[in-house]
Amino acid sequence: MASHQVAIAKASFSAGLLRPDPTSVPRDEITAFHTLLDTALSHCSVANIQKCKTWLLNYVVSSSNRVGVWAKYLVALSSSFTSGENGQTSKPAEARPGTSSKRKRLHILYLLNDLFHHTKYHTDTPAAFSTLSGSLQPHIVELLGYAASYDRSKNPKHHRRLDDLLDIWEKNGYYGADYVNKLREVVKNSAVSGPVKSSIDVEQNNTDTINRPVEKNVPFVMPSSHGDSSTPYYDLPAGNLVPHIIPDSTVPIRPDTIKPLQFLAGPADEKLVTALKAFLKDVDRMYNSGQTEQKGTEVVDIDEMGQTIIRDSSTGDITNEGQLQKPHSEWQPQPQPVKETPLQWQFRE
């Protein structure tokens, strides 16, 4: 990610701290935090992690909005760490030239782990842990993907640390077992196909698409939400309206209830992937965008409507797999019974 994206994320984080939520954070404290964070990422000692954690507990953890913008800043920061083949930084860091990007990305997760432990076991109410874990969840996949984007065979110790960290999260219940298993899949897939990038900018995405060779068997990853929560309801994807549509109801949809659908971020379920691939296969067959896949006993044909169908080579019958729905011209509206009023009955008699 370009350096200007890090600057934008840093400015957004600072703006969230300056906003009274519930109180504004002094600018000197904001500057001090960035110094503490850089020190903790460069040298992950107990003292450095404790200082950074204490600052976050005082100014960030109590607000879900601040946790969210801080997590976005961590994602931008993690993606800005350029790495070589073995995780060594191509440009030495200012604080500690020997600290690799691989270790810095791992240290970010160590800081989160320390925050999880403190908010769950050393606070009076569970509200802090719920706020922290819930607001961080949409960004955990990206942070973990960046940390795991190194070949497992060349970096076995690094991946063993990630596996141990996820075991701790599952054992202590920081996240559910199902979600932790999805995070393990993220680690496994990122080591092969690179980090999961779900929030990169358009410019970076276009550059990566041009320069990066085509990857096969790239895993399908579910986003944390379907649309941006800051987008007005009329600009959200149309799929967000589906849960609010009630058949045969004349009650209008309340705009304030239309929010982006929330998903469990991480690798998509196998059944969903299978259904999506089947849908894309039907689209390719319909528009003839690629070579039609067919079995040995099937023959591709064109029906009277110009649609692609698949016939059985022995019987000539249209198979269920290739049979398309009737065109709209073949559907006839069903006549509706007319209800007569008592006055109409009198005239008819």
Side-chain angles (χ1 to χ4, degrees), residues 84-96:
E85 183 178 356
N86 296 322
Q88 297 295 329
T89 53
S90 57
K91 288 186 179 182
E94 295 181 1
R96 281 182 173 267

Side-chain angles (χ1 to χ4, degrees), residues 165-211:
L165 185 66
L166 291 179
D167 290 340
I168 293 174
W169 288 9
E170 182 178 11
K171 179 181 178 181
N172 291 277
Y174 298 155
Y175 288 108
D178 293 339
Y179 185 68
V180 174
N181 289 333
K182 286 184 176 291
L183 294 180
R184 290 193 176 97
E185 289 294 325
V186 171
V187 172
K188 180 181 177 181
N189 295 330
S190 298
V192 177
S193 58
V196 178
K197 299 180 181 180
S198 60
S199 61
I200 57 177
D201 60 306
V202 176
E203 178 184 353
Q204 179 72 14
N205 187 29
N206 293 337
T207 304
D208 290 346
T209 303
I210 295 174
N211 298 333

Side-chain angles (χ1 to χ4, degrees), residues 136-150:
L136 280 175
Q137 181 172 343
H139 310 281
I140 289 292
V141 170
E142 286 184 278
L143 292 173
L144 197 60
Y146 282 116
S149 60
Y150 303 94

Side-chain angles (χ1 to χ4, degrees), residues 27-41:
R27 293 183 181 273
D28 293 341
E29 289 291 336
I30 298 176
T31 304
F33 167 73
H34 289 292
T35 302
L36 293 174
L37 181 62
D38 291 340
T39 304
L41 298 186

Side-chain angles (χ1 to χ4, degrees), residues 47-85:
N48 291 337
I49 291 292
Q50 289 288 338
K51 292 177 182 178
C52 194
K53 181 189 70 175
T54 302
W55 195 98
L56 291 168
L57 290 172
N58 292 334
Y59 297 111
V60 175
V61 172
S62 60
S63 169
S64 59
N65 292 329
R66 288 182 177 179
V67 174
V69 293
W70 175 59
K72 291 180 180 179
Y73 171 63
L74 290 181
V75 171
L77 189 64
S78 182
S79 65
S80 68
F81 296 147
T82 56
S83 58
E85 183 178 356

Side-chain angles (χ1 to χ4, degrees), residues 22 43 105 113 146 150 185 205 218 268 294 301-302 316:
H43 182 57
R105 290 168 173 173
N113 180 75
Y146 282 116
Y150 303 94
E185 289 294 325
N205 187 29
V218 177
Q294 59 189 86
D301 196 3
I302 305 295

